[in-house]
Amino acid sequence: MIHTKAYAAPGADQPLGPFELDRREPGPRDILIEIAYCGVCHSDIHQVKDEWGGSLFPMVPGHEIVGRVARVGAEVKGFKPGDLAGVGCMVDSCRVCPSCARNLEQFCQKGAAFTYNGTEMDRVTRTYGGYSARVVVDEAFALHISPRLDLAGAAPLLCAGITTYSPLRHWNTRPGDKVGVVGLGGLGHMAVKLAAAMGAEVTMLSTSPAKEADARRLGAAGFGLTSDEATFKRLAGRFDLIIDTISAAHDYNKYLGMVRLEGAMVLLGVPPAPIPVAAGSLIFGRKTLSGSLIGGIKETQEMLDFCAEHNVVSDIELIPFADINKAYERMLRGDVRYRFVLDTATL
Ligand code: NAP
Ligand code: ZN
Ligand code: ZN
């Protein structure tokens, strides 16, 4: 067993504190990663608070993991000790169902093995995430990180990066497309950077007037304050695509009004309670309301390579583990610029 320091939530909505756990000895196709950094995703908060139901405790959150390979199993081909490696939201899937065959492991029909708050594919062995010093993972679910990228800034690419890259690609974002990004947090700031890198004309739609200058620095050409009703009138029918990253309740219908004829809005944020959608919001303008879940492993590697080519990383605030509960509180207030990243050296 590989003994590992970690941080865990002992129960629903309880503060996180020091914890220890054992990882499996690396099998023939496994790699052991010494974690350097782990990003803090709002999904960590939803799950620690058990807002989606069925949370497993104690919970070691964290699915934006980067570090260095310390050891590899005898059959590992893609990694060697010393390589940089990343782990995102999944550590395994069935690998044979139609979704897995399409490289869409996130939609595995058996249910993917999520990095934490879940089980391995045996459906017994609990998974524990990246708020820890080491992780053991099958190389098929590990990603290569370019040494050209700032390593701490690259950590959030493993969730916030792929979650925003995937719908931009799926909806075929092209130079000149008008993309609206709703909510300037971890996902939102990656959506702005990636859409801008794809050549889109990005408008940031935010509740925070103080974030306008940052939005423009990140690559947004326009800014709309969503606490001002005039914004929804001014931007009515404007966007080819709206990427909605808000983590809390809000009115989808108002945002759909800013989608152009036959345009689309993609939900990424997961507010805890259902939100009503009026048929008319979609019928008038033949609009599409869609959702998107992270991205498959192949696409995650493609995104990391795209980021290396375009020099895209996350804007981060590096924090010690002792500050994790404070960081959660700040994220709940929208006070994050724009991703907290845990420094494993402080564990
Ligand atoms: P985050 O960093 O906390 O950012 C969320 C942003 O939403 C805030 O910064 C704020 O931006 C805005 N916001 C928050 N509360 C709001 C409210 N009541 N009304 C209006 N705007 C509000 O969160 P994140 O890590 O980016 O995650 C965002 C959501 O995506 C979470 O629900 C998370 O679980 C989900 N998620 C989904 C996937 C997926 O695969 N679909 C993957 C990862 C995360 P402004 O200040 O600009 O308004
Ligand atoms: Zn996440
Ligand atoms: Zn599958």
Side-chain angles (χ1 to χ4, degrees), residues 40-43 46 52 63 89 159-160 163 182-188 204-208 211 226 245-250 255 267-271 292-294 331-332 334-336 338-339:
V40 179
C41 179
H42 207 109
S43 301
H46 288 305
W52 298 339
H63 56 206
C89 301
C159 176
T163 300
V182 187
L184 189 50
L187 265 56
M204 185 66 229
L205 301 163
S206 170
T207 61
S208 308
K211 292 181 183 172
T226 51
T245 76
I246 299 182
S247 49
H250 59 294
Y255 291 87
L267 305 181
L268 299 181
V270 193
S292 189
L293 176 66
I294 48 174
M331 284 170 75
L332 289 167
D335 175 21
V336 50
Y338 280 90
R339 198 59 142 184

Side-chain angles (χ1 to χ4, degrees), residues 2 26 30-38 65-72 79-87 132-137 142-152 155 344:
I2 311 283
D30 287 338
I31 65 174
L32 167 64
I33 301 170
E34 294 282 349
I35 299 174
Y37 304 105
C38 183
I65 302 168
V66 292
R68 259 180 216 285
V69 176
R71 222 198 298 166
V72 304
F79 292 89
K80 56 183 188 323
D83 284 354
L84 295 173
V87 180
S132 61
R134 302 188 176 91
V135 66
V136 175
V137 65
L143 287 308
H144 290 278
I145 315 273
S146 167
R148 283 190 305 213
L149 293 176
D150 174 70
L151 189 58
T344 312

Side-chain angles (χ1 to χ4, degrees), residues 15-322:
L16 281 78
F19 183 70
E20 302 203 352
L21 65 108
D22 289 317
R23 304 286 191 186
R24 65 175 181 266
E25 278 296 325
R29 286 188 289 273
D30 287 338
I31 65 174
L32 167 64
I33 301 170
E34 294 282 349
I35 299 174
Y37 304 105
C38 183
V40 179
C41 179
H42 207 109
S43 301
D44 302 348
I45 303 179
H46 288 305
Q47 291 175 89
V48 164
K49 287 177 167 291
D50 198 12
E51 288 179 349
W52 298 339
S55 282
L56 303 172
F57 295 98
M59 184 191 301
V60 176
H63 56 206
E64 294 184 337
I65 302 168
V66 292
R68 259 180 216 285
V69 176
R71 222 198 298 166
V72 304
E75 293 167 23
V76 168
K77 296 202 172 61
F79 292 89
K80 56 183 188 323
D83 284 354
L84 295 173
V87 180
C89 301
M90 299 178 283
V91 288
D92 207 353
S93 72
C94 88
R95 307 184 192 203
V96 294
C97 75
S99 300
C100 288
R102 288 181 56 197
N103 298 307
L104 298 170
E105 299 87 0
Q106 73 273 34
F107 304 122
C108 175
Q109 291 174 7
K110 292 247 164 69
F114 289 100
T115 303
Y116 70 86
N117 190 27
T119 59
E120 298 283 353
M121 293 310 286
D122 65 8
R123 297 297 175 228
V124 177
T125 311
R126 288 274 310 275
T127 53
Y128 296 101
Y131 294 9
S132 61
R134 302 188 176 91
V135 66
V136 175
V137 65
D138 189 306
E139 70 160 330
F141 282 76
L143 287 308
H144 290 278
I145 315 273
S146 167
R148 283 190 305 213
L149 293 176
D150 174 70
L151 189 58
L157 300 179
L158 275 302
C159 176
I162 182 58
T163 300
T164 50
Y165 180 90
S166 185
L168 288 167
R169 281 286 183 239
H170 182 78
W171 294 97
N172 217 3
T173 300
R174 300 208 173 279
D177 279 7
K178 294 182 174 59
V179 173
V181 175
V182 187
L184 189 50
L187 265 56
H189 94 291
M190 288 312 308
V192 172
K193 287 189 180 205
L194 291 168
M198 291 175 193
E201 185 193 310
V202 184
T203 301
M204 185 66 229
L205 301 163
S206 170
T207 61
S208 308
K211 292 181 183 172
E212 175 167 359
D214 281 345
R216 293 187 186 277
R217 177 180 54 77
L218 294 165
F223 186 87
L225 194 59
T226 51
S227 49
D228 180 358
E229 288 303 320
T231 296
F232 293 89
K233 288 209 180 77
R234 175 170 67 88
L235 298 174
R238 179 176 177 85
F239 298 110
D240 298 294
L241 179 67
I242 289 183
I243 304 262
D244 182 350
T245 76
I246 299 182
S247 49
H250 59 294
D251 184 358
Y252 292 148
N253 303 286
K254 282 169 61 177
Y255 291 87
L256 282 164
M258 293 189 285
V259 172
R260 70 153 164 81
L261 172 65
E262 294 175 338
M265 175 156 120
V266 182
L267 305 181
L268 299 181
V270 193
I275 296 171
V277 176
S281 302
L282 301 170
I283 288 172
F284 291 93
R286 192 151 59 190
K287 298 175 186 179
T288 301
L289 178 62
S290 175
S292 189
L293 176 66
I294 48 174
I297 296 298
K298 183 163 177 252
E299 192 175 44
T300 304
Q301 190 62 60
E302 179 191 306
M303 175 276 307
L304 287 164
D305 297 345
F306 177 91
C307 288
E309 189 185 323
H310 295 265
N311 197 26
V312 173
V313 288
S314 181
D315 284 26
I316 65 154
E317 190 175 330
L318 194 64
I319 56 166
F321 271 81

